[in-house]
Amino acid sequence: INPVVVGLTWRMLLHAELGIVNYLLGLVGIGAVNWLGSAGIAFWTVVLVDIWHQVSFMAILLLAGLAALPREPYEAARMDGASALRSFIHITLPLMRPVIMVALLLRLIFAIKTFDIIFIMTKGGPGTATDLISYFIYRASFFGLDIGRASAMSVALLAVVLALTAYLYRYMRSLR
């Protein structure tokens, strides 16, 4: 789903006075929560919305990896009397390790570049509670008009992402 639609939808659902989440909490007897207006809660609310937004892609990626696993090791393990848990630990996890690493790498990159959900839901607030690096760079360039600083931060962020990608790539190569 488009992140703008996700941000707007969750912003309406979590509205402090008119949101359906607080209405449902009120039916159970729990008081209203200021999901996006409280510094302690806003960051974790945005994190959970971002996780909700990305979980379907990660599930499809992992399911594709599971579907590509060979059947022979499982048949051999079943013939040897291995339980489902032992098969999972000793066959599935080692065979899925490259797919899991790719999923983690993609999720890490998606988390670092998260901008649109922050922009739509909180604009980095309250205060700077949800001010991630991508939104900080945006504010430095377009509101602070400090293009040089924003460019330097963007290049530094690119270097960090490239370093993490190179490390995970080397780690995946060593698994073969």
Side-chain angles (χ1 to χ4, degrees):
I1 300 177
N2 187 337
V4 174
V5 174
V6 170
L8 287 173
T9 303
W10 278 103
R11 188 170 157 203
M12 287 188 293
L13 291 173
L14 297 172
H15 192 275
E17 297 168 5
L18 305 172
I20 189 75
V21 175
N22 279 337
Y23 173 75
L24 294 174
L25 288 176
L27 291 178
V28 184
I30 301 172
V33 177
N34 193 359
W35 298 101
L36 300 173
S38 171
I41 299 173
F43 177 76
W44 295 109
T45 302
V46 170
V47 166
L48 290 175
V49 168
D50 190 47
I51 289 171
W52 179 87
H53 179 232
Q54 295 293 329
V55 77
S56 59
F57 176 69
M58 294 298 131
I60 289 172
L61 189 64
L62 293 173
L63 282 173
L66 282 173
L69 293 180
R71 301 273 179 231
E72 294 83 15
Y74 294 102
E75 293 171 3
R78 190 171 42 247
M79 296 299 286
D80 290 341
S83 67
L85 181 62
R86 279 187 89 79
S87 294
F88 177 74
I89 291 171
H90 296 288
I91 299 171
T92 305
L93 282 181
L95 290 175
M96 284 290 293
R97 191 171 289 146
V99 176
I100 292 170
M101 295 307 295
V102 167
L104 285 175
L105 176 65
L106 287 175
R107 185 63 193 114
L108 178 70
I109 291 171
F110 291 164
I112 289 172
K113 75 172 193 66
T114 298
F115 168 80
D116 26 29
I117 288 179
I118 298 293
F119 182 76
I120 295 296
M121 291 183 73
T122 64
K123 295 203 182 350
T128 58
T130 60
D131 200 3
L132 299 180
I133 186 70
S134 57
Y135 193 74
F136 185 76
I137 292 170
Y138 166 77
R139 279 191 311 112
S141 61
F142 294 109
F143 292 118
L145 298 177
D146 195 355
I147 304 298
R149 181 176 181 211
S151 298
M153 287 188 293
S154 297
V155 170
L157 181 61
L158 175 66
V160 169
V161 170
L162 285 176
L164 287 170
T165 304
Y167 171 75
L168 286 174
Y169 179 75
R170 281 200 334 243
Y171 178 74
M172 288 181 358
R173 296 285 291 174
S174 70
L175 295 176
R176 290 184 184 188

